[in-house]
């Protein structure tokens, strides 16, 4: 178990991203949050299934990330689907912007997790899969599952 694995705790995972895209590179970004959002994330109330990432005016934003309102937050709660700014170095953002300019590349959030006491978002530079790629992945999973089942029956 590595040092990173000990200090981090997963909040939300985006399995759909791995099904719909080939993940070329992964980046770690901080996220700009307000008080009650942090408390809600500590309770694990977050979803990134329908979210996506855009770069606008040299800044990077995440859209559609749902953080449930904190029960005891009343008037301090923010809109659960508000646009949140991601925190990355300027040169990383410029590098990503150049890659996105190429045809077929996009940015997708892969997971949200705690790194020590900070909340981080893993951003993936992804290329969309075609339908036949998805079918091939499903076929590989089915074959693997079938072989494991046969192996269990023998022993």
């Amino acid at each position: 178990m590595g040092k990173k694995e000990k200090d981090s705790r997963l909040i939300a995972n985006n399995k759909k991203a791995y099904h719909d895209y080939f993940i070329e590179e992964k980046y770690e970004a901080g996220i700009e949050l307000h008080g009650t959002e942090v408390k809600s994330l500590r309770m694990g109330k977050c979803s990134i299934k329908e979210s996506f990432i855009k770069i606008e005016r040299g800044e990077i934003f995440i859209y559609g990330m749902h953080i449930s309102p904190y029960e005891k937050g009343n008037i301090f709660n923010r809109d659960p689907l508000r646009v949140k700014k991601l925190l990355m170095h300027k040169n990383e953002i410029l590098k990503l912007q150049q890659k996105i300019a190429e045809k077929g590349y996009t940015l997708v959030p892969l997971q949200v997790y705690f790194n020590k006491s900070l909340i981080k978002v893993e951003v993936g530079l992804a290329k969309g899969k075609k339908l036949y790629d998805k079918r091939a992945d499903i076929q590989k999973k089915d074959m693997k599952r079938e072989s494991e089942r046969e192996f269990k029956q023998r022993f």
Side-chain angles (χ1 to χ4, degrees):
M1 194 174 210
K3 185 163 178 70
K4 184 183 176 193
E5 293 174 23
K6 282 184 186 176
D7 295 341
S8 66
R9 188 186 76 168
L10 187 67
I11 301 170
N13 198 1
N14 191 357
K15 291 180 184 176
K16 189 178 177 190
Y18 291 99
H19 183 264
D20 292 340
Y21 301 99
F22 292 114
I23 308 299
E24 306 279 326
E25 295 176 32
K26 295 178 182 179
Y27 297 90
E28 184 179 69
I31 185 166
E32 193 175 86
L33 297 170
H34 296 282
T36 56
E37 291 176 327
V38 176
K39 290 181 178 187
S40 190
L41 283 172
R42 288 202 184 282
M43 294 169 58
K45 308 252 178 139
C46 175
S47 174
I48 55 172
K49 283 187 179 126
E50 299 297 321
S51 58
F52 60 96
I53 297 172
K54 276 189 179 178
I55 298 175
E56 298 170 351
R57 299 179 306 278
E59 295 180 331
I60 188 166
F61 296 95
I62 186 165
Y63 292 82
M65 178 179 174
H66 186 276
I67 299 176
S68 299
Y70 183 60
E71 292 102 39
K72 299 174 182 127
N74 57 39
I75 61 167
F76 299 108
N77 281 333
R78 298 288 176 121
D79 177 30
L81 288 171
R82 76 176 181 86
V83 178
K84 294 156 194 74
K85 183 178 175 183
L86 295 180
L87 309 170
M88 291 178 84
H89 291 285
K90 194 63 113 180
N91 59 352
E92 283 182 321
I93 294 173
L94 292 173
K95 186 172 141 183
L96 285 173
Q97 199 166 19
Q98 290 172 352
K99 295 259 180 144
I100 290 174
E102 295 176 30
K103 192 171 191 259
Y105 282 104
T106 186
L107 292 175
V108 291
L110 300 175
Q111 58 182 328
V112 179
Y113 58 93
F114 282 105
N115 187 354
K116 298 178 184 163
S117 64
L118 302 174
I119 297 169
K120 301 286 185 176
V121 177
E122 188 175 56
V123 177
L125 180 67
K127 194 167 197 147
K129 283 185 180 179
K130 303 279 188 240
L131 184 61
Y132 56 84
D133 292 327
K134 292 179 190 177
R135 286 184 185 149
D137 283 351
I138 291 170
Q139 190 176 17
K140 284 179 189 175
K141 283 182 187 175
D142 288 343
M143 288 175 63
K144 185 179 177 184
R145 193 177 308 121
E146 191 67 35
S147 64
E148 287 175 359
R149 191 175 299 136
E150 288 177 13
F151 184 73
K152 281 183 181 178
Q153 288 176 354
R154 284 188 205 157
F155 297 103

